[in-house]
């Protein structure tokens, strides 16, 4: 039997494993620093996101049968620090992880209407992996 704290720790370790595997695919063989994620032990006392170790990312992890994605997203955004990208990672039992993040998207149009927009998107694991690995590569190497 696990109490809520135990389940939370298992959920966060599972999520950290996914993100660290994605990061390892970027860092291994390129001489880049490895990524280590850990539970945010201050979260219960001070509030804050669930996993620490990637300075630019505020990871909020939810695994619950009753999805409350809008509420969880508000929490993730509220807990992100200055310059951090909030990333909500959530799932129900027996379903794959889903992710929500706000991206900056460039758009090009005739007549000078080009620009950027902030879009909040929900993605599956493969889409999120591609976004995360590109973002990590850019931040570790300065190359896009």
């Amino acid at each position: 039997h696990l109490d809520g704290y135990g389940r939370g720790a298992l959920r966060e370790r599972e999520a950290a494993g996914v993100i660290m595997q994605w990061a390892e695919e970027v860092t291994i063989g390129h001489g880049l620093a490895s990524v280590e994620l850990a539970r945010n032990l201050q979260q219960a006392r001070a509030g804050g996101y669930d996993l620490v170790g990637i300075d630019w990312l505020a990871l909020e992890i939810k695994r619950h049968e009753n999805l409350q994605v809008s509420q969880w997203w508000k929490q993730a955004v509220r807990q992100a620090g200055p310059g951090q990208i909030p990333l909500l990672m959530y799932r129900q039992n027996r379903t794959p992880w889903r992710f929500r993040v706000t991206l900056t998207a460039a758009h090009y149009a005739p007549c000078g209407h080009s620009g950027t927009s902030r879009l909040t998107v929900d993605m599956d694991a493969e889409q999120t992996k591609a976004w995360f690995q590109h973002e990590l590569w850019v931040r570790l190497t300065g190359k896009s």
Side-chain angles (χ1 to χ4, degrees):
H1 164 58
L2 295 173
D3 60 16
Y5 179 80
R7 282 192 305 270
L10 288 173
R11 172 191 74 223
E12 291 163 7
R13 277 196 295 272
E14 177 188 0
V18 169
I19 300 296
M20 287 191 301
Q21 179 182 354
W22 293 351
E24 189 174 273
E25 292 174 17
V26 173
T27 60
I28 293 292
H30 295 284
L32 301 172
S34 63
V35 172
E36 291 294 325
L37 292 173
R39 296 186 71 222
N40 181 359
L41 299 177
Q42 301 299 314
Q43 68 181 319
R45 280 178 264 156
Y49 48 94
D50 293 325
L51 296 174
V52 295
I54 302 175
D55 294 343
W56 53 271
L57 198 60
L59 280 160
E60 183 64 29
I61 314 303
K62 300 292 185 187
R63 185 171 168 185
H64 199 279
E65 282 306 300
N66 298 316
L67 296 181
Q68 301 172 31
V69 177
S70 293
Q71 181 180 337
W72 297 338
W73 178 243
K74 288 176 187 172
Q75 177 186 358
V77 169
R78 185 176 61 248
Q79 293 175 161
Q84 286 186 309
I85 298 171
L87 177 62
L88 173 63
M89 183 173 179
Y90 65 94
R91 76 181 188 95
Q92 295 171 299
N93 291 333
R94 298 171 301 283
T95 66
W97 286 105
R98 298 283 306 167
F99 302 81
R100 180 174 282 191
V101 66
T102 299
L103 306 173
T104 301
H107 48 86
Y108 304 95
C111 306
H113 290 87
S114 300
T116 60
S117 298
R118 304 277 297 152
L119 305 172
T120 299
V121 295
D122 287 293
M123 298 185 286
D124 65 21
E126 286 305 307
Q127 294 165 322
T128 306
K129 177 181 176 180
W131 167 80
F132 171 80
Q133 288 181 329
H134 174 77
E135 193 70 30
L136 181 63
W137 175 258
V138 168
R139 290 173 184 269
L140 290 176
T141 66
K143 303 174 190 173
S144 54

